[in-house]
Amino acid sequence: MAVTKERKAELIKQYGKDERDSGSAAVQVALLSERIKGLTEHMKSHKKDYHTRRGLLMLVGQRRRLLSYIKRQDVEAYRSLIKSLGIRDNIQ
C-alpha cells in the first residue's frame, strides 16, 4: 500500500530535475498517483473502509490542485505529465 523507498527514488529520478528534487510539482503528482493506485487497490477489496476512502479522496483533491497549478504554468509540461502517468485530462 505504501510507496517503497526504491519506487519513490525511481519516480523522483524520472520526473524530477535530479535525484534530490522531491519537491517539484511533477514529482509530487507522480508520488501522489502512486499512493492513489495503491489505495484504489485496497478499496477494491475493502469496500466499507470509509477512513481510507476519505484519505483517498483527499489525495485525489491534492493531486488535482497540483495538476491545475502545472497547467497554469506550462500546458505542454502538463500534457506530457498526464500522458506519462495515464491520468485523464479533466482540469478546467
Side-chain angles (χ1 to χ4, degrees):
M1 196 157 65
V3 182
T4 63
K5 285 184 181 182
E6 294 82 18
R7 180 65 179 145
K8 189 173 182 178
E10 288 175 17
L11 290 171
I12 291 172
K13 190 174 184 180
Q14 182 178 358
Y15 293 101
K17 297 177 189 106
D18 58 13
E19 64 274 353
R20 298 180 336 167
D21 179 26
S22 61
S24 67
V27 173
Q28 289 183 49
V29 168
L31 292 173
L32 284 171
S33 296
E34 195 69 23
R35 287 181 65 194
I36 288 169
K37 286 178 191 172
L39 288 177
T40 302
E41 289 301 314
H42 172 81
M43 289 300 296
K44 286 179 182 175
S45 59
H46 301 91
K47 297 185 186 327
K48 294 188 178 185
D49 187 355
Y50 297 112
H51 292 84
T52 301
R53 178 179 163 80
R54 181 176 186 270
L56 176 62
L57 291 175
M58 289 172 64
L59 290 177
V60 170
Q62 185 176 1
R63 182 178 72 177
R64 183 182 171 102
R65 287 190 300 274
L66 282 167
L67 283 171
S68 72
Y69 168 76
I70 294 171
K71 188 173 184 178
R72 281 195 315 268
Q73 299 300 319
D74 186 8
V75 175
E76 289 305 317
Y78 168 76
R79 288 184 182 141
S80 65
L81 180 65
I82 63 170
K83 186 174 183 175
S84 67
L85 289 173
I87 301 173
R88 291 179 303 206
D89 182 15
N90 59 358
I91 307 294
Q92 306 307 346

